[in-house]
Amino acid sequence: MNALEKFYDDTEQANVRYVGFASSDLRYDLAIVYSSMFFGKPLVICLQTGKAALLDSTDIEDLELLKHTFRTETLQQASELSDFFKEVIPDVQLTTEYE
C-alpha cells in the first residue's frame, strides 16, 4: 500500500448558516459554512443538489459560475442568487496561507 502524504488535518468550530428562500421562480436551500480555512472563503452548499463552491465577493459577481454551480436555468436566476450572496458573503482580503 502506498503511503499517503497528508497536507493538512485541522479542526475548528465553524459557523454554519442554513437558509431557505424562493426567488421569482426557484427555491433554494443552502448551507453556508463560514471558516478560516480556504483563504476565508465561505463554503456554500446547495442542499437540493449537493453542489458546493467556495465563494468570495468576486465569485458572486460571475453569473456564469453561479448558473453552472447552482444549476440555475437562466442568467436572471443567477443574478437573483448573486443579489442574495451579496448580503451574506463577506468581502475577504486574501492573504498567503501556503509558502
Side-chain angles (χ1 to χ4, degrees), residues 23-79:
S23 67
S24 59
D25 56 351
L26 285 178
R27 177 188 168 126
Y28 298 94
D29 295 289
L30 304 171
I32 305 169
V33 182
Y34 299 95
S35 168
S36 62
M37 297 292 292
F38 310 111
F39 306 102
K41 289 185 174 187
L43 174 63
V44 180
I45 306 159
C46 177
L47 299 174
Q48 295 172 349
T49 64
K51 296 284 265 178
L54 294 166
L55 299 176
D56 65 15
S57 55
T58 303
D59 299 325
I60 62 176
E61 297 291 336
D62 186 342
L63 298 183
E64 286 291 341
L65 172 71
L66 295 179
K67 182 177 181 284
H68 173 74
T69 301
F70 296 101
R71 297 184 182 171
T72 64
E73 295 176 8
T74 68
L75 287 177
Q76 175 59 35
Q77 293 167 339
S79 178

